Amino acid sequence: MSVVGLIGSGHIGSAVARLAVAAGYEVVVSNSRGPETLADLVDELGPSASAGTADAAAEAGDLVVVTIPLKAYRSVPVAPLAGKVVIDTNNYYPQRDGRFPELDEGTATSSELLQRHLPEARVVKAFNNIHFRHLSSLARPAGAADRSALPIAGDDAEAKAVVTAFLDRIGYDAVDAGALAESWRFQPDTPAYGTVYSADPANWQQEAPGDADKLRAALAEAG
């Protein structure tokens, strides 16, 4: 795997792109406003980066990261992602996304909605529980004593192995939280969301490593 496609280049998408380039990947970034609006980001990322449409990022990526507001998930191109591993970073924020009855009722998770939209892709939830600044600053080499872990969830074991290897290469351990149906354990308003990487739960800006043991305890605390 050498190319990471990004559908969405906001805070999390840009942070993932920077980490991926630093780890030796090529990246193709996209957003809803058009490739020309990503010139500054591409210049910053250097020769390993290029900008394209969402379809182009989906086509080019060996691994594709979907990092757009949940309300726009139906805009994700379907055909180019068939058979591919897709990382979903979405969270459900009703004040931004509007109401989704199945999410309000707990009969589905946001990642399950994306998986239904992409029936031939292999969706893995990741990157949604960490602040983008912490994502950038907490990356550490394998074996580092202060390495943090990120939770993942998915229905395909091979896809989760691919994402685990990607996380390892960009500076994080992975903790498998189970199937997509279990991804609620690290969604907003759970112990594993945000504050697991903060020294002070009342001040998210004060970062602290969140290792695998700390993360597993937080996931278990969710119930």
Side-chain angles (χ1 to χ4, degrees):
M1 185 179 70
S2 61
V3 181
V4 178
L6 291 114
I7 299 175
S9 299
H11 290 317
I12 289 290
S14 296
V16 172
R18 292 182 184 102
L19 291 172
V21 167
Y25 293 97
E26 295 179 17
V27 300
V28 179
V29 295
S30 68
N31 64 16
S32 61
R33 299 185 303 280
E36 66 280 359
T37 66
L38 292 166
D40 288 346
L41 177 60
V42 170
D43 285 346
E44 175 196 338
L45 293 172
S48 294
S50 61
T53 63
D55 284 86
E59 288 277 7
D62 301 308
L63 173 71
V64 178
V65 182
V66 172
T67 179
I68 60 176
L70 176 64
K71 63 184 178 182
Y73 82 89
R74 294 182 185 90
S75 70
V76 175
V78 177
L81 294 174
K84 294 193 177 185
V85 177
V86 174
I87 296 179
D88 173 33
T89 78
N90 283 329
N91 285 311
Y92 175 40
Y93 301 115
Q95 67 275 21
R96 177 197 67 185
D97 300 315
R99 289 289 178 181
F100 286 74
E102 57 269 69
L103 301 183
D104 292 335
E105 295 163 5
T107 58
T109 64
S110 58
S111 291
E112 287 180 298
L113 296 186
L114 182 63
Q115 181 66 83
R116 292 171 190 173
H117 176 66
L118 303 172
E120 296 183 50
R122 296 177 289 166
V123 174
V124 177
K125 183 86 160 185
F127 295 123
N128 69 295
N129 76 316
I130 185 168
H131 192 279
F132 73 94
R133 292 193 180 92
H134 296 173
L135 178 60
S136 296
S137 61
L138 287 175
R140 300 288 188 275
D146 60 346
R147 203 182 208 209
S148 294
L150 297 175
I152 63 172
D155 297 337
D156 184 291
E158 183 182 2
K160 287 195 283 189
V162 168
V163 173
T164 295
F166 175 64
L167 294 182
D168 179 60
R169 189 163 156 184
I170 67 171
Y172 286 90
D173 293 332
V175 170
D176 189 345
L180 289 179
E182 295 297 312
S183 60
W184 64 269
R185 292 181 180 277
F186 52 100
Q187 292 180 161
D189 301 320
T190 65
Y193 179 79
T195 55
V196 74
Y197 309 106
S198 300
D200 178 0
N203 178 13
W204 281 30
Q205 301 301 314
Q206 188 179 357
E207 70 183 50
D211 65 16
D213 289 340
K214 183 179 179 182
L215 178 56
R216 288 191 186 96
L219 292 168
E221 191 179 341

